[in-house]
Amino acid sequence: MNLKPIQLFDPKSSTFTYILNVPGSPDAVIIDPVDVHWERDLLHLQRLNLKLTYVMETHTHADHVTSAGKLREMTGAKAVVPSGCGISPADIQLRDGDVIHFGAHEEIRALHTPGHTSGSMSYIWRGNVFTGDALLINGCGRTDFQGGSAEALYDSITKKLFDLNETTLVWPCHDYKGQSVSSIAWEKRHNARVSKCDRAAFVNYMNKLDLPKPKLIDIAVPANHNLGLPHGV
Ligand code: FE2
C-alpha cells in the first residue's frame, strides 16, 4: 500500500513537518517538527488517537528551531537524527542504510544525502522520500554553510535520490511557492537546478549564489544541536 504522510506547514519559515502512520495502528513518527507548533502537532496526534514513537530530523536546521526535544519530553518518543549532524542529545544516531521500525511492520530507511549540510539525510518510507533540504521541488538546498558542498549535493541528488523508483513521491523540508509534493520522475526531468546541467555547471551556479545568511542561523543551529531545548536542559 502506497500511503502518504500527513503534511503540516509553518508559514513563517515555509517548513513542512510530516506525520507518518498506517491506519489501524496507533504508532506514529514525526519528521522535522517546528518549535512554535509543538501544541498543534500534539493536537493532531491526539485527534487521530496516535502515539508518537519517534521524532526524526533530516538535518540541523539553520532557519528555524525544532520542537524535537519538546515533543520527546511531552510524549516519551525517541529522538532520531543523522549521525553527522552534531545533535548529541538524540536517542538514536543514524548511519547510511539504517532502518527505523515502527508500528506493526513499518520501516523507514535512512539515506545519507550530504551537500546541503554534511550530515543531511533523506528518509524513505513506503514509496515516499523525505528529502530535507537536499532535493526541493524544482530546486535544492543551499550549500554554503554547515559543511555544505555543491559537489556532494549534486552527487546525492543525481546518484542517490534519482536512483529511487521514479514513482517515489518527494516530500521536501521547505517550499516557497505553494507546492507541496513532487516525484522522482518529475524532478529528474524538470528540476531547474539539476535536470539540465552537468556537475561542473551545477557547482559553478551554487558557488555563485551569494545568498544572505539565514536570519536565525546563530540562534537556530546551537538550539537544534540540543533538539531545540535551551542548553543545560
Ligand atoms: Fe536546512
Side-chain angles (χ1 to χ4, degrees), residues 145-212:
F145 50 69
Q146 291 179 277
S149 155
E151 290 87 348
L153 186 58
Y154 187 84
D155 293 344
S156 290
I157 293 172
T158 60
K159 293 181 182 166
K160 292 186 173 181
L161 293 167
F162 284 179
D163 204 35
L164 299 173
N165 191 311
E166 290 210 342
T167 60
T168 305
L169 296 179
V170 172
W171 303 93
C173 187
H174 298 287
D175 191 84
Y176 306 94
K177 294 179 180 170
Q179 307 159 111
S180 61
V181 62
S182 184
S183 69
I184 293 296
W186 276 110
E187 296 312 310
K188 258 187 185 176
R189 285 163 184 73
H190 301 288
N191 188 294
R193 294 260 174 98
V194 288
S195 64
K196 292 175 187 70
C197 67
D198 63 14
R199 192 173 189 264
F202 175 81
V203 169
N204 188 41
Y205 178 84
M206 293 304 290
N207 289 344
K208 283 187 178 162
L209 274 179
D210 199 24
L211 295 167

Side-chain angles (χ1 to χ4, degrees), residues 59 61-62 116 133 174:
H59 63 293
H61 309 282
H116 170 59
D133 291 3
H174 298 287

Side-chain angles (χ1 to χ4, degrees), residues 16 43 67 109 113 142 157 174 193 228 232:
F16 288 121
L43 283 173
S67 66
R109 183 161 62 87
T113 47
R142 60 195 291 176
I157 293 172
H174 298 287
R193 294 260 174 98

Side-chain angles (χ1 to χ4, degrees), residues 8 17-19 29-46 51-57 66-79 91 227-229:
L8 301 162
T17 295
Y18 298 98
I19 295 174
V29 169
I30 196 163
I31 298 176
D32 287 337
V34 175
D35 59 350
V36 291
H37 296 304
W38 68 269
E39 284 173 298
R40 174 201 70 180
D41 297 347
L42 281 185
L43 283 173
H44 270 288
L45 294 164
Q46 282 164 14
K51 177 182 175 297
L52 196 60
T53 53
Y54 294 108
V55 185
M56 300 181 72
E57 297 282 280
T66 178
S67 66
K70 183 73 182 176
L71 291 177
R72 176 171 74 171
E73 197 178 285
M74 300 298 292
T75 66
K78 286 192 163 53
D91 302 287
L227 294 170
L229 295 171

